[in-house]
Amino acid sequence: MNIHEYQAKQLLAQYGVAVSVEIPCKSLEEVRPAAEKILAGGSSKVVVKSQIHAGGRGKGTFKSGFQGGVKIAANADEAVSFAKQMLGQVLVTKQTGADGRKVQTLLLAAAAKIKKEFYLAVLLDRATSRPIVMVSTEGGMDIEEVAEKTPEKIVKETIDPAVGMMPYQARKLAAALGLKGDLIAAGAKLILGVYKTAWECDTAMVEINPLCLVENADGKESLMALDGKISLDDNALYRHKNIQEMRDLNEEAPLEIEASKFSLNYIKLDGSIACLVNGAGLAMATMDIIQHFGGNPANFLDVGGGATKEQVTAAFKIILQDPNVKGILVNIFGGIMDCNVIATGIVAAVKETGLKLPLVVRLEGNNVAAGKKTLAESGLTLITGDSMADAAQKVVKAVGK
Ligand code: ADP
Ligand code: MG
């Protein structure tokens, strides 16, 4: 699950990470009072920030033609006028794809006086199976670009999860950012706070871009997270009621929301062949083999190892709501899964939805004989596949590709 910048910063702030004074606004009416409050608090300017689950907002363009999803306003009037151009409008950034995302929340933040922008992230490194904390002096930029062109500007520390991040590691990273004097200790404290957020909230990723060296009103310098992106590990969400409440359904595809209600792993794709598979690995392999024989998968769908008849029926209904679907491939290898449960689910779903599209079924494994019998006796017109390759070829042919 992903959360918005303002929510990420709320979590970070709980772990002592400095963020700017900010107020989220869901409607235009809230913008002026929020801007006035921030300006009254001593900030000379206020930043109006579009909240969507994608980065690159600053350099993004609205479909209306309005440039920039992050704008600095000199006064409340200007903040309101920016807000009018953003709220309810579709913002296209490097990360949204051409469709863009509709902005439904704004974040009004005190504008910081930025002296330098850095990059900071906590990720999981698959190679070492450990968290890594990564910093770069090249903040505010695309980190992929930095990694490609100047990889030496990215400095990493691998964390032993049994002991957690050690203060010396944080100091090393702070020094790598070129911080001097008291700012090394302040930087290390902030980095440890970000690591603690990542660890305790069970995040898959925390990214702060930019982490800024800012000049305060008294002329002193300090460090502050001016952007925050957090992705959470869905498997650990049950431990975090407060974070579950941050879910924003506006940011998720409607069919994927429906699928999640039935604990189905569904991801919509652009092709015409829907797949219903048990197990993520087999689902990936099924998508590959469809492509191999010249077709295009319409989705990734893993019904899991122990799917019930209700889940299979729900899965069918979900894949059929995609208007691009021209044929369906059911590929089940019953290990824990009872093939007859799948077969019963298929029959129920086909009858309930009045399916007219070609349906190819490949069943193998646990209780397969009963499953095949259920299908045979159902009177449904379906095509059976003897192997994965056979089934894939048949469905590709059936959809006419
Ligand atoms: P995105 O990464 O989606 O473009 P950011 O939150 O990083 O959005 O904002 C883009 C840029 O806007 C930042 O790199 C920073 O230069 C500037 N910015 C963002 N928030 C503030 C703020 N509170 N004060 C001053 N400048 C800001
Ligand atoms: Mg950013």
Side-chain angles (χ1 to χ4, degrees):
M1 186 180 93
N2 293 322
I3 55 176
H4 288 296
E5 173 198 354
Y6 78 91
Q7 297 165 320
K9 286 174 166 171
Q10 284 169 1
L11 292 178
L12 288 161
Q14 285 171 20
Y15 292 93
V17 178
V19 299
S20 40
V21 174
E22 18 190 63
I23 306 171
C25 301
K26 300 237 181 232
S27 69
L28 203 54
E29 293 72 56
E30 296 165 63
V31 173
R32 184 178 296 278
E36 282 170 352
K37 194 168 167 196
I38 287 167
L39 292 166
S43 173
S44 63
K45 288 179 183 156
V46 55
V47 193
V48 185
K49 309 184 78 175
S50 305
Q51 300 292 289
I52 54 170
H53 286 184
R57 296 162 301 164
K59 295 196 182 89
T61 307
F62 286 87
K63 283 203 167 159
S64 63
F66 186 73
Q67 288 287 331
V70 175
K71 289 284 208 186
I72 299 182
N75 51 51
D77 282 341
E78 201 179 7
V80 171
S81 106
F82 286 147
K84 278 185 187 155
Q85 305 276 4
M86 295 182 188
L87 260 185
Q89 299 295 318
V90 177
L91 177 60
V92 180
T93 79
K94 248 177 135 174
Q95 292 184 10
T96 60
D99 286 348
R101 291 278 175 83
K102 189 168 168 186
V103 176
Q104 314 204 38
T105 306
L106 294 175
L107 181 63
L108 269 78
K113 206 165 162 195
I114 302 175
K115 311 260 330 232
K116 213 164 172 344
E117 301 199 358
F118 306 115
Y119 177 94
L120 166 63
V122 182
L123 310 159
L124 294 172
D125 180 23
R126 283 161 194 262
T128 55
S129 304
R130 291 182 169 202
I132 52 167
V133 183
M134 197 165 115
V135 299
S136 174
T137 49
E138 306 306 289
M141 302 215 351
D142 228 354
I143 197 67
E144 286 80 6
E145 208 178 305
V146 179
E148 200 179 319
K149 295 192 180 142
T150 47
E152 72 282 359
K153 290 194 171 160
I154 295 178
V155 182
K156 296 175 193 166
E157 279 291 317
T158 303
I159 313 301
D160 180 340
V163 292
M165 185 171 201
M166 304 304 284
Y168 82 88
Q169 294 183 296
R171 285 195 297 271
K172 232 162 111 181
L173 292 177
L177 290 178
L179 297 172
K180 298 270 180 309
D182 291 348
L183 285 171
I184 294 192
K189 184 171 164 272
L190 183 142
I191 293 169
L192 286 168
V194 173
Y195 179 77
K196 199 162 185 222
T197 311
W199 183 258
E200 295 201 355
C201 298
D202 293 308
T203 69
M205 185 200 71
V206 179
E207 188 184 59
I208 297 175
N209 189 19
L211 164 67
C212 289
L213 180 65
V214 301
E215 188 182 312
N216 303 322
D218 59 7
K220 289 203 178 118
E221 289 178 337
S222 68
L223 290 160
M224 202 179 253
L226 288 193
D227 189 8
K229 192 172 173 184
I230 291 186
S231 303
L232 298 135
D233 179 347
D234 291 349
N235 294 317
L237 266 180
Y238 74 96
R239 298 205 279 226
H240 306 286
K241 193 118 198 23
N242 61 325
I243 301 176
Q244 282 171 30
E245 283 162 10
M246 292 180 170
R247 184 170 177 191
D248 184 354
L249 294 177
N250 289 325
E251 293 288 328
E252 296 178 29
L255 289 180
E256 290 171 19
I257 296 169
E258 188 63 19
S260 71
K261 287 187 199 156
F262 294 91
S263 310
L264 299 164
N265 290 315
Y266 170 88
I267 294 161
K268 191 184 159 336
L269 302 167
D270 298 332
S272 60
I273 300 175
C275 332
L276 188 156
V277 189
N278 68 321
L282 189 61
M284 303 283 272
T286 306
M287 292 171 11
D288 282 347
I289 203 160
I290 288 172
Q291 293 240 345
H292 177 76
F293 288 113
N296 272 310
N299 64 274
F300 167 92
L301 172 58
D302 165 21
V303 296
T308 60
K309 182 177 148 235
E310 287 69 35
Q311 279 177 302
V312 175
T313 313
F316 254 91
K317 287 189 187 161
I318 288 163
I319 54 189
L320 287 175
Q321 278 178 54
D322 174 358
N324 297 333
V325 169
K326 303 274 181 296
I328 303 171
L329 172 57
V330 176
N331 186 15
I332 301 294
F333 187 86
I336 302 164
M337 185 63 141
D338 179 337
C339 286
N340 199 31
V341 170
I342 289 283
T344 317
I346 294 172
V347 174
V350 171
K351 288 193 174 150
E352 225 176 284
T353 55
L355 179 74
K356 298 276 183 306
L357 300 172
L359 170 64
V360 179
V361 181
R362 180 253 180 168
L363 283 182
E364 203 56 77
N366 179 17
N367 210 14
V368 69
K372 285 189 171 159
K373 189 158 172 262
T374 301
L375 292 178
E377 288 172 356
S378 68
L380 301 178
T381 22
L382 47 84
I383 307 164
T384 53
D386 299 326
S387 65
M388 222 165 119
D390 181 46
Q393 277 169 295
K394 282 175 173 160
V395 75
V396 171
K397 188 162 170 241
V399 302
K401 263 186 111 185

